[in-house]
Amino acid sequence: MKDGKIADAGKTPPTPEIRQIDATGSVVIPALTDIHAHIYWGATALGVKPERAASRSGTATFVDAGSAGAANILGFQEFIHRPSPFNTFAFLNISFPGIYGFSPRVMIGEAENPKLLDAETCADAAREFSDLVVGIKVRAGRIAAGDNGDGALRRGLNAAERAGLPLMCHVDLEPPRIVDILDSLRPGDILTHCCRPEPNAPIDDGQIRDAAWKAKERGVLFDIGHGMGSFSFQTCRTMVDAGFVPDLISSDIHCMSINGPAYDVLTTMNKLLALGVSFDAALAATTSRPAGIIGHPELGRIEVGQTANIAVLKADGGAFPLFDVSGEHIDFEGAFSCQHLIARGALVPPADMQN
């Protein structure tokens, strides 16, 4: 690497001027892309600093999933995106103020009030900030939208259509029913929290719903979005055993999940590996596929001439225990931990060594 880019790949004779990293017994991969995180730290109660998760998880690209709406995406650009040492992007919330009432003691759904959900305003902001906005986000569920989930989903789809962008749709409890959400999503749209516990999950009574199969067949993408309450080993096990492997692996790190049970996207990836997902499939779900979805395929590969975003992983049992949101625990000796992270050509120190 030189001047922040990958200068060469192959056998290069060592010289005193070249710093070397010993990756013996490790795998060298493109740094991970977490397509569902909440990093609008300081402006939203749920936001966390990406530095807390980056080096421990090998993540150089963070996509904020709807923390900001049209009212405050400028702040995300100025105070998070521009000064960040990482690659940062955002799904823009259909709700004008974004996620404004999310904390351990205060929980107010930003999609409950239809007056806050203006599709034209959202689409206009997405176009204005097109360098960082990669999609539209809607939280369509009872917790986030009250009884307005169907309306919020319709307006989110309207905004996404106007802006020419994919929609990421959150699902929690009814209403709306997950089958109605799945039937509404377009090819390229994303259902996040796809392995949430029953009810209102892609599985029903231990079987994958027909609506989920049909959505997958027409190109709807299924994203983990672990978070504090949205990943069940049982749901994921049922899907994987049936050959229904999620397309995207993401952490949904925020103020109530970064210290467990989600921790970060690498820990989430380890949980999929523990359930039998192949390393190649899990790697694609955390590198090339999310990078392509956000329009930056170069971030999901190692290529001469491109910016150096590289992670060195070692299968040593992982950094964190593998629990789901129900408390089920899996022991997995093959879990990976991150030994080194290079983001934009710079070696990222562990979080406890950063200012």
Side-chain angles (χ1 to χ4, degrees), residues 9-46:
K11 293 183 178 180
T12 301
T15 68
E17 294 79 24
I18 296 178
R19 178 178 180 179
Q20 297 183 67
I21 293 175
D22 186 355
T24 304
S26 304
V27 291
V28 179
I29 64 168
L32 303 187
T33 293
D34 193 347
I35 201 170
H36 185 154
H38 291 281
I39 58 168
Y40 201 176
W41 178 82
T44 59
L46 81 163

PDB file of all heavy atoms in Angstrom, residues 9-46:
ATOM      1  N   ALA A   9      -0.035  -6.174  -5.619  1.00  0.00           N
ATOM      2  CA  ALA A   9      -0.491  -7.393  -4.950  1.00  0.00           C
ATOM      3  C   ALA A   9       0.354  -8.543  -5.458  1.00  0.00           C
ATOM      4  O   ALA A   9       0.531  -8.718  -6.660  1.00  0.00           O
ATOM      5  CB  ALA A   9      -1.964  -7.644  -5.234  1.00  0.00           C
ATOM      6  N   GLY A  10       0.885  -9.314  -4.548  1.00  0.00           N
ATOM      7  CA  GLY A  10       1.763 -10.412  -4.936  1.00  0.00           C
ATOM      8  C   GLY A  10       2.973 -10.432  -4.027  1.00  0.00           C
ATOM      9  O   GLY A  10       2.942  -9.905  -2.911  1.00  0.00           O
ATOM     10  N   LYS A  11       4.037 -11.037  -4.487  1.00  0.00           N
ATOM     11  CA  LYS A  11       5.251 -11.148  -3.683  1.00  0.00           C
ATOM     12  C   LYS A  11       6.137  -9.934  -3.925  1.00  0.00           C
ATOM     13  O   LYS A  11       6.673  -9.746  -5.013  1.00  0.00           O
ATOM     14  CB  LYS A  11       6.000 -12.439  -4.029  1.00  0.00           C
ATOM     15  CG  LYS A  11       5.241 -13.698  -3.629  1.00  0.00           C
ATOM     16  CD  LYS A  11       6.059 -14.943  -3.916  1.00  0.00           C
ATOM     17  CE  LYS A  11       5.312 -16.196  -3.453  1.00  0.00           C
ATOM     18  NZ  LYS A  11       6.095 -17.434  -3.716  1.00  0.00           N
ATOM     19  N   THR A  12       6.266  -9.114  -2.883  1.00  0.00           N
ATOM     20  CA  THR A  12       7.109  -7.924  -2.964  1.00  0.00           C
ATOM     21  C   THR A  12       8.284  -8.095  -2.008  1.00  0.00           C
ATOM     22  O   THR A  12       8.085  -8.360  -0.821  1.00  0.00           O
ATOM     23  CB  THR A  12       6.309  -6.663  -2.572  1.00  0.00           C
ATOM     24  OG1 THR A  12       5.196  -6.533  -3.438  1.00  0.00           O
ATOM     25  CG2 THR A  12       7.172  -5.417  -2.654  1.00  0.00           C
ATOM     26  N   PRO A  13       9.490  -7.969  -2.492  1.00  0.00           N
ATOM     27  CA  PRO A  13      10.653  -8.123  -1.600  1.00  0.00           C
ATOM     28  C   PRO A  13      10.584  -7.098  -0.461  1.00  0.00           C
ATOM     29  O   PRO A  13      10.320  -5.912  -0.697  1.00  0.00           O
ATOM     30  CB  PRO A  13      11.849  -7.848  -2.519  1.00  0.00           C
ATOM     31  CG  PRO A  13      11.334  -8.099  -3.899  1.00  0.00           C
ATOM     32  CD  PRO A  13       9.901  -7.690  -3.873  1.00  0.00           C
ATOM     33  N   PRO A  14      10.797  -7.523   0.786  1.00  0.00           N
ATOM     34  CA  PRO A  14      10.758  -6.587   1.910  1.00  0.00           C
ATOM     35  C   PRO A  14      11.926  -5.613   1.871  1.00  0.00           C
ATOM     36  O   PRO A  14      13.028  -5.957   1.455  1.00  0.00           O
ATOM     37  CB  PRO A  14      10.853  -7.501   3.131  1.00  0.00           C
ATOM     38  CG  PRO A  14      11.531  -8.740   2.634  1.00  0.00           C
ATOM     39  CD  PRO A  14      11.087  -8.899   1.205  1.00  0.00           C
ATOM     40  N   THR A  15      11.646  -4.388   2.251  1.00  0.00           N
ATOM     41  CA  THR A  15      12.687  -3.368   2.367  1.00  0.00           C
ATOM     42  C   THR A  15      12.492  -2.659   3.695  1.00  0.00           C
ATOM     43  O   THR A  15      11.405  -2.708   4.288  1.00  0.00           O
ATOM     44  CB  THR A  15      12.589  -2.339   1.222  1.00  0.00           C
ATOM     45  OG1 THR A  15      11.382  -1.580   1.390  1.00  0.00           O
ATOM     46  CG2 THR A  15      12.596  -3.018  -0.133  1.00  0.00           C
ATOM     47  N   PRO A  16      13.518  -1.974   4.189  1.00  0.00           N
ATOM     48  CA  PRO A  16      13.384  -1.271   5.471  1.00  0.00           C
ATOM     49  C   PRO A  16      12.289  -0.210   5.449  1.00  0.00           C
ATOM     50  O   PRO A  16      11.756   0.153   6.498  1.00  0.00           O
ATOM     51  CB  PRO A  16      14.775  -0.635   5.662  1.00  0.00           C
ATOM     52  CG  PRO A  16      15.689  -1.484   4.862  1.00  0.00           C
ATOM     53  CD  PRO A  16      14.895  -1.921   3.672  1.00  0.00           C
ATOM     54  N   GLU A  17      11.949   0.314   4.259  1.00  0.00           N
ATOM     55  CA  GLU A  17      10.952   1.377   4.180  1.00  0.00           C
ATOM     56  C   GLU A  17       9.521   0.848   4.232  1.00  0.00           C
ATOM     57  O   GLU A  17       8.581   1.611   4.414  1.00  0.00           O
ATOM     58  CB  GLU A  17      11.142   2.175   2.874  1.00  0.00           C
ATOM     59  CG  GLU A  17      12.447   2.957   2.778  1.00  0.00           C
ATOM     60  CD  GLU A  17      13.628   2.065   2.414  1.00  0.00           C
ATOM     61  OE1 GLU A  17      13.394   0.990   1.809  1.00  0.00           O
ATOM     62  OE2 GLU A  17      14.772   2.438   2.736  1.00  0.00           O
ATOM     63  N   ILE A  18       9.363  -0.444   4.048  1.00  0.00           N
ATOM     64  CA  ILE A  18       8.023  -1.021   3.997  1.00  0.00           C
ATOM     65  C   ILE A  18       7.674  -1.641   5.340  1.00  0.00           C
ATOM     66  O   ILE A  18       8.373  -2.540   5.828  1.00  0.00           O
ATOM     67  CB  ILE A  18       7.916  -2.088   2.880  1.00  0.00           C
ATOM     68  CG1 ILE A  18       8.122  -1.446   1.507  1.00  0.00           C
ATOM     69  CG2 ILE A  18       6.548  -2.774   2.933  1.00  0.00           C
ATOM     70  CD1 ILE A  18       8.090  -2.431   0.365  1.00  0.00           C
ATOM     71  N   ARG A  19       6.600  -1.169   5.941  1.00  0.00           N
ATOM     72  CA  ARG A  19       6.116  -1.781   7.174  1.00  0.00           C
ATOM     73  C   ARG A  19       5.353  -3.051   6.826  1.00  0.00           C
ATOM     74  O   ARG A  19       4.522  -3.056   5.928  1.00  0.00           O
ATOM     75  CB  ARG A  19       5.190  -0.828   7.922  1.00  0.00           C
ATOM     76  CG  ARG A  19       4.615  -1.423   9.205  1.00  0.00           C
ATOM     77  CD  ARG A  19       3.738  -0.452   9.951  1.00  0.00           C
ATOM     78  NE  ARG A  19       3.215  -1.039  11.168  1.00  0.00           N
ATOM     79  CZ  ARG A  19       2.426  -0.400  12.027  1.00  0.00           C
ATOM     80  NH1 ARG A  19       2.076   0.847  11.788  1.00  0.00           N
ATOM     81  NH2 ARG A  19       1.999  -1.000  13.120  1.00  0.00           N
ATOM     82  N   GLN A  20       5.639  -4.114   7.542  1.00  0.00           N
ATOM     83  CA  GLN A  20       5.013  -5.395   7.262  1.00  0.00           C
ATOM     84  C   GLN A  20       4.075  -5.793   8.396  1.00  0.00           C
ATOM     85  O   GLN A  20       4.331  -5.523   9.566  1.00  0.00           O
ATOM     86  CB  GLN A  20       6.074  -6.479   7.076  1.00  0.00           C
ATOM     87  CG  GLN A  20       7.001  -6.229   5.884  1.00  0.00           C
ATOM     88  CD  GLN A  20       7.975  -7.368   5.698  1.00  0.00           C
ATOM     89  OE1 GLN A  20       7.579  -8.478   5.362  1.00  0.00           O
ATOM     90  NE2 GLN A  20       9.259  -7.096   5.913  1.00  0.00           N
ATOM     91  N   ILE A  21       2.986  -6.447   8.019  1.00  0.00           N
ATOM     92  CA  ILE A  21       2.039  -7.024   8.973  1.00  0.00           C
ATOM     93  C   ILE A  21       2.090  -8.535   8.812  1.00  0.00           C
ATOM     94  O   ILE A  21       1.908  -9.058   7.711  1.00  0.00           O
ATOM     95  CB  ILE A  21       0.611  -6.511   8.729  1.00  0.00           C
ATOM     96  CG1 ILE A  21       0.526  -5.014   9.053  1.00  0.00           C
ATOM     97  CG2 ILE A  21      -0.399  -7.295   9.559  1.00  0.00           C
ATOM     98  CD1 ILE A  21      -0.823  -4.396   8.721  1.00  0.00           C
ATOM     99  N   ASP A  22       2.352  -9.236   9.871  1.00  0.00           N
ATOM    100  CA  ASP A  22       2.414 -10.697   9.834  1.00  0.00           C
ATOM    101  C   ASP A  22       0.991 -11.248   9.883  1.00  0.00           C
ATOM    102  O   ASP A  22       0.297 -11.136  10.897  1.00  0.00           O
ATOM    103  CB  ASP A  22       3.236 -11.214  11.010  1.00  0.00           C
ATOM    104  CG  ASP A  22       3.458 -12.723  10.944  1.00  0.00           C
ATOM    105  OD1 ASP A  22       2.885 -13.369  10.033  1.00  0.00           O
ATOM    106  OD2 ASP A  22       4.176 -13.253  11.800  1.00  0.00           O
ATOM    107  N   ALA A  23       0.542 -11.842   8.785  1.00  0.00           N
ATOM    108  CA  ALA A  23      -0.800 -12.410   8.710  1.00  0.00           C
ATOM    109  C   ALA A  23      -0.763 -13.936   8.668  1.00  0.00           C
ATOM    110  O   ALA A  23      -1.709 -14.579   8.203  1.00  0.00           O
ATOM    111  CB  ALA A  23      -1.521 -11.876   7.478  1.00  0.00           C
ATOM    112  N   THR A  24       0.296 -14.509   9.187  1.00  0.00           N
ATOM    113  CA  THR A  24       0.410 -15.963   9.220  1.00  0.00           C
ATOM    114  C   THR A  24      -0.776 -16.567   9.964  1.00  0.00           C
ATOM    115  O   THR A  24      -1.123 -16.135  11.063  1.00  0.00           O
ATOM    116  CB  THR A  24       1.723 -16.379   9.908  1.00  0.00           C
ATOM    117  OG1 THR A  24       2.825 -15.764   9.235  1.00  0.00           O
ATOM    118  CG2 THR A  24       1.881 -17.889   9.906  1.00  0.00           C
ATOM    119  N   GLY A  25      -1.405 -17.562   9.362  1.00  0.00           N
ATOM    120  CA  GLY A  25      -2.536 -18.231   9.999  1.00  0.00           C
ATOM    121  C   GLY A  25      -3.816 -17.441   9.967  1.00  0.00           C
ATOM    122  O   GLY A  25      -4.794 -17.805  10.638  1.00  0.00           O
ATOM    123  N   SER A  26      -3.848 -16.356   9.205  1.00  0.00           N
ATOM    124  CA  SER A  26      -5.023 -15.491   9.138  1.00  0.00           C
ATOM    125  C   SER A  26      -5.557 -15.443   7.707  1.00  0.00           C
ATOM    126  O   SER A  26      -4.961 -15.999   6.782  1.00  0.00           O
ATOM    127  CB  SER A  26      -4.670 -14.074   9.598  1.00  0.00           C
ATOM    128  OG  SER A  26      -4.123 -14.074  10.897  1.00  0.00           O
ATOM    129  N   VAL A  27      -6.689 -14.784   7.541  1.00  0.00           N
ATOM    130  CA  VAL A  27      -7.220 -14.526   6.200  1.00  0.00           C
ATOM    131  C   VAL A  27      -7.227 -13.025   5.977  1.00  0.00           C
ATOM    132  O   VAL A  27      -7.534 -12.245   6.887  1.00  0.00           O
ATOM    133  CB  VAL A  27      -8.641 -15.105   6.010  1.00  0.00           C
ATOM    134  CG1 VAL A  27      -8.599 -16.620   6.002  1.00  0.00           C
ATOM    135  CG2 VAL A  27      -9.596 -14.601   7.071  1.00  0.00           C
ATOM    136  N   VAL A  28      -6.846 -12.630   4.783  1.00  0.00           N
ATOM    137  CA  VAL A  28      -6.808 -11.217   4.407  1.00  0.00           C
ATOM    138  C   VAL A  28      -7.975 -10.967   3.464  1.00  0.00           C
ATOM    139  O   VAL A  28      -8.069 -11.590   2.401  1.00  0.00           O
ATOM    140  CB  VAL A  28      -5.477 -10.850   3.736  1.00  0.00           C
ATOM    141  CG1 VAL A  28      -5.464  -9.380   3.335  1.00  0.00           C
ATOM    142  CG2 VAL A  28      -4.311 -11.160   4.676  1.00  0.00           C
ATOM    143  N   ILE A  29      -8.871 -10.069   3.852  1.00  0.00           N
ATOM    144  CA  ILE A  29     -10.118  -9.857   3.115  1.00  0.00           C
ATOM    145  C   ILE A  29     -10.374  -8.361   2.936  1.00  0.00           C
ATOM    146  O   ILE A  29      -9.747  -7.529   3.611  1.00  0.00           O
ATOM    147  CB  ILE A  29     -11.314 -10.488   3.860  1.00  0.00           C
ATOM    148  CG1 ILE A  29     -11.522  -9.796   5.213  1.00  0.00           C
ATOM    149  CG2 ILE A  29     -11.132 -11.999   4.036  1.00  0.00           C
ATOM    150  CD1 ILE A  29     -12.828 -10.136   5.906  1.00  0.00           C
ATOM    151  N   PRO A  30     -11.296  -7.996   2.050  1.00  0.00           N
ATOM    152  CA  PRO A  30     -11.735  -6.601   2.049  1.00  0.00           C
ATOM    153  C   PRO A  30     -12.346  -6.264   3.406  1.00  0.00           C
ATOM    154  O   PRO A  30     -13.029  -7.105   4.009  1.00  0.00           O
ATOM    155  CB  PRO A  30     -12.803  -6.564   0.948  1.00  0.00           C
ATOM    156  CG  PRO A  30     -12.561  -7.786   0.128  1.00  0.00           C
ATOM    157  CD  PRO A  30     -11.996  -8.806   1.050  1.00  0.00           C
ATOM    158  N   ALA A  31     -12.089  -5.068   3.911  1.00  0.00           N
ATOM    159  CA  ALA A  31     -12.715  -4.655   5.169  1.00  0.00           C
ATOM    160  C   ALA A  31     -14.234  -4.751   5.024  1.00  0.00           C
ATOM    161  O   ALA A  31     -14.802  -4.539   3.944  1.00  0.00           O
ATOM    162  CB  ALA A  31     -12.295  -3.242   5.534  1.00  0.00           C
ATOM    163  N   LEU A  32     -14.902  -5.071   6.125  1.00  0.00           N
ATOM    164  CA  LEU A  32     -16.333  -5.336   6.078  1.00  0.00           C
ATOM    165  C   LEU A  32     -17.139  -4.055   5.875  1.00  0.00           C
ATOM    166  O   LEU A  32     -16.703  -2.949   6.223  1.00  0.00           O
ATOM    167  CB  LEU A  32     -16.783  -6.026   7.366  1.00  0.00           C
ATOM    168  CG  LEU A  32     -16.086  -7.346   7.719  1.00  0.00           C
ATOM    169  CD1 LEU A  32     -16.762  -7.983   8.929  1.00  0.00           C
ATOM    170  CD2 LEU A  32     -16.049  -8.308   6.548  1.00  0.00           C
ATOM    171  N   THR A  33     -18.327  -4.222   5.311  1.00  0.00           N
ATOM    172  CA  THR A  33     -19.316  -3.156   5.167  1.00  0.00           C
ATOM    173  C   THR A  33     -20.519  -3.513   6.021  1.00  0.00           C
ATOM    174  O   THR A  33     -21.144  -4.556   5.811  1.00  0.00           O
ATOM    175  CB  THR A  33     -19.746  -2.995   3.693  1.00  0.00           C
ATOM    176  OG1 THR A  33     -18.650  -2.508   2.927  1.00  0.00           O
ATOM    177  CG2 THR A  33     -20.913  -2.024   3.574  1.00  0.00           C
ATOM    178  N   ASP A  34     -20.828  -2.675   6.998  1.00  0.00           N
ATOM    179  CA  ASP A  34     -22.003  -2.873   7.856  1.00  0.00           C
ATOM    180  C   ASP A  34     -23.137  -2.021   7.283  1.00  0.00           C
ATOM    181  O   ASP A  34     -23.173  -0.802   7.491  1.00  0.00           O
ATOM    182  CB  ASP A  34     -21.688  -2.466   9.287  1.00  0.00           C
ATOM    183  CG  ASP A  34     -22.742  -2.935  10.284  1.00  0.00           C
ATOM    184  OD1 ASP A  34     -23.827  -3.359   9.834  1.00  0.00           O
ATOM    185  OD2 ASP A  34     -22.482  -2.872  11.504  1.00  0.00           O
ATOM    186  N   ILE A  35     -24.060  -2.654   6.572  1.00  0.00           N
ATOM    187  CA  ILE A  35     -25.081  -1.909   5.848  1.00  0.00           C
ATOM    188  C   ILE A  35     -26.240  -1.463   6.732  1.00  0.00           C
ATOM    189  O   ILE A  35     -27.115  -0.717   6.283  1.00  0.00           O
ATOM    190  CB  ILE A  35     -25.604  -2.733   4.645  1.00  0.00           C
ATOM    191  CG1 ILE A  35     -26.253  -1.813   3.602  1.00  0.00           C
ATOM    192  CG2 ILE A  35     -26.551  -3.842   5.111  1.00  0.00           C
ATOM    193  CD1 ILE A  35     -26.582  -2.490   2.291  1.00  0.00           C
ATOM    194  N   HIS A  36     -26.237  -1.860   7.991  1.00  0.00           N
ATOM    195  CA  HIS A  36     -27.275  -1.407   8.925  1.00  0.00           C
ATOM    196  C   HIS A  36     -26.626  -1.126  10.273  1.00  0.00           C
ATOM    197  O   HIS A  36     -26.382  -2.016  11.086  1.00  0.00           O
ATOM    198  CB  HIS A  36     -28.374  -2.459   9.081  1.00  0.00           C
ATOM    199  CG  HIS A  36     -29.524  -2.032   9.929  1.00  0.00           C
ATOM    200  ND1 HIS A  36     -30.781  -2.568   9.786  1.00  0.00           N
ATOM    201  CD2 HIS A  36     -29.634  -1.123  10.938  1.00  0.00           C
ATOM    202  CE1 HIS A  36     -31.614  -2.009  10.654  1.00  0.00           C
ATOM    203  NE2 HIS A  36     -30.919  -1.132  11.385  1.00  0.00           N
ATOM    204  N   ALA A  37     -26.313   0.147  10.503  1.00  0.00           N
ATOM    205  CA  ALA A  37     -25.734   0.607  11.764  1.00  0.00           C
ATOM    206  C   ALA A  37     -26.360   1.946  12.109  1.00  0.00           C
ATOM    207  O   ALA A  37     -27.104   2.521  11.311  1.00  0.00           O
ATOM    208  CB  ALA A  37     -24.221   0.732  11.646  1.00  0.00           C
ATOM    209  N   HIS A  38     -26.073   2.434  13.309  1.00  0.00           N
ATOM    210  CA  HIS A  38     -26.578   3.757  13.717  1.00  0.00           C
ATOM    211  C   HIS A  38     -25.411   4.537  14.313  1.00  0.00           C
ATOM    212  O   HIS A  38     -25.031   4.343  15.460  1.00  0.00           O
ATOM    213  CB  HIS A  38     -27.739   3.615  14.705  1.00  0.00           C
ATOM    214  CG  HIS A  38     -28.971   3.046  14.065  1.00  0.00           C
ATOM    215  ND1 HIS A  38     -29.825   3.811  13.299  1.00  0.00           N
ATOM    216  CD2 HIS A  38     -29.455   1.784  14.039  1.00  0.00           C
ATOM    217  CE1 HIS A  38     -30.804   3.042  12.842  1.00  0.00           C
ATOM    218  NE2 HIS A  38     -30.600   1.809  13.266  1.00  0.00           N
ATOM    219  N   ILE A  39     -24.844   5.414  13.486  1.00  0.00           N
ATOM    220  CA  ILE A  39     -23.597   6.106  13.858  1.00  0.00           C
ATOM    221  C   ILE A  39     -23.764   7.618  13.928  1.00  0.00           C
ATOM    222  O   ILE A  39     -22.771   8.344  13.924  1.00  0.00           O
ATOM    223  CB  ILE A  39     -22.468   5.737  12.878  1.00  0.00           C
ATOM    224  CG1 ILE A  39     -22.850   6.096  11.425  1.00  0.00           C
ATOM    225  CG2 ILE A  39     -22.118   4.257  12.984  1.00  0.00           C
ATOM    226  CD1 ILE A  39     -21.694   6.039  10.456  1.00  0.00           C
ATOM    227  N   TYR A  40     -25.019   8.074  14.008  1.00  0.00           N
ATOM    228  CA  TYR A  40     -25.239   9.535  14.125  1.00  0.00           C
ATOM    229  C   TYR A  40     -25.078   9.913  15.591  1.00  0.00           C
ATOM    230  O   TYR A  40     -26.003  10.359  16.256  1.00  0.00           O
ATOM    231  CB  TYR A  40     -26.617   9.891  13.581  1.00  0.00           C
ATOM    232  CG  TYR A  40     -26.794  11.348  13.168  1.00  0.00           C
ATOM    233  CD1 TYR A  40     -27.979  11.773  12.584  1.00  0.00           C
ATOM    234  CD2 TYR A  40     -25.787  12.300  13.336  1.00  0.00           C
ATOM    235  CE1 TYR A  40     -28.169  13.089  12.195  1.00  0.00           C
ATOM    236  CE2 TYR A  40     -25.957  13.609  12.951  1.00  0.00           C
ATOM    237  CZ  TYR A  40     -27.150  14.007  12.384  1.00  0.00           C
ATOM    238  OH  TYR A  40     -27.328  15.319  11.999  1.00  0.00           O
ATOM    239  N   TRP A  41     -23.844   9.734  16.065  1.00  0.00           N
ATOM    240  CA  TRP A  41     -23.529   9.941  17.475  1.00  0.00           C
ATOM    241  C   TRP A  41     -23.575  11.430  17.818  1.00  0.00           C
ATOM    242  O   TRP A  41     -23.089  12.277  17.071  1.00  0.00           O
ATOM    243  CB  TRP A  41     -22.138   9.375  17.787  1.00  0.00           C
ATOM    244  CG  TRP A  41     -21.728   9.582  19.205  1.00  0.00           C
ATOM    245  CD1 TRP A  41     -22.074   8.823  20.277  1.00  0.00           C
ATOM    246  CD2 TRP A  41     -20.899  10.630  19.712  1.00  0.00           C
ATOM    247  NE1 TRP A  41     -21.512   9.326  21.417  1.00  0.00           N
ATOM    248  CE2 TRP A  41     -20.789  10.447  21.111  1.00  0.00           C
ATOM    249  CE3 TRP A  41     -20.252  11.713  19.125  1.00  0.00           C
ATOM    250  CZ2 TRP A  41     -20.046  11.297  21.915  1.00  0.00           C
ATOM    251  CZ3 TRP A  41     -19.516  12.565  19.931  1.00  0.00           C
ATOM    252  CH2 TRP A  41     -19.417  12.359  21.307  1.00  0.00           C
ATOM    253  N   GLY A  42     -24.163  11.743  18.970  1.00  0.00           N
ATOM    254  CA  GLY A  42     -24.210  13.118  19.445  1.00  0.00           C
ATOM    255  C   GLY A  42     -25.428  13.879  18.991  1.00  0.00           C
ATOM    256  O   GLY A  42     -25.826  14.852  19.632  1.00  0.00           O
ATOM    257  N   ALA A  43     -26.049  13.448  17.904  1.00  0.00           N
ATOM    258  CA  ALA A  43     -27.237  14.125  17.384  1.00  0.00           C
ATOM    259  C   ALA A  43     -28.495  13.293  17.596  1.00  0.00           C
ATOM    260  O   ALA A  43     -29.600  13.836  17.596  1.00  0.00           O
ATOM    261  CB  ALA A  43     -27.076  14.436  15.900  1.00  0.00           C
ATOM    262  N   THR A  44     -28.343  11.990  17.745  1.00  0.00           N
ATOM    263  CA  THR A  44     -29.461  11.104  18.053  1.00  0.00           C
ATOM    264  C   THR A  44     -29.088  10.261  19.265  1.00  0.00           C
ATOM    265  O   THR A  44     -27.919   9.893  19.441  1.00  0.00           O
ATOM    266  CB  THR A  44     -29.782  10.181  16.872  1.00  0.00           C
ATOM    267  OG1 THR A  44     -28.636   9.392  16.562  1.00  0.00           O
ATOM    268  CG2 THR A  44     -30.197  10.977  15.646  1.00  0.00           C
ATOM    269  N   ALA A  45     -30.082   9.948  20.081  1.00  0.00           N
ATOM    270  CA  ALA A  45     -29.812   9.215  21.314  1.00  0.00           C
ATOM    271  C   ALA A  45     -29.325   7.794  21.051  1.00  0.00           C
ATOM    272  O   ALA A  45     -28.600   7.224  21.862  1.00  0.00           O
ATOM    273  CB  ALA A  45     -31.069   9.182  22.190  1.00  0.00           C
ATOM    274  N   LEU A  46     -29.734   7.214  19.927  1.00  0.00           N
ATOM    275  CA  LEU A  46     -29.350   5.828  19.669  1.00  0.00           C
ATOM    276  C   LEU A  46     -27.975   5.710  19.022  1.00  0.00           C
ATOM    277  O   LEU A  46     -27.415   4.613  18.954  1.00  0.00           O
ATOM    278  CB  LEU A  46     -30.385   5.126  18.788  1.00  0.00           C
ATOM    279  CG  LEU A  46     -30.360   5.341  17.270  1.00  0.00           C
ATOM    280  CD1 LEU A  46     -31.182   4.250  16.590  1.00  0.00           C
ATOM    281  CD2 LEU A  46     -30.860   6.700  16.873  1.00  0.00           C
TER     282      LEU A  46
END
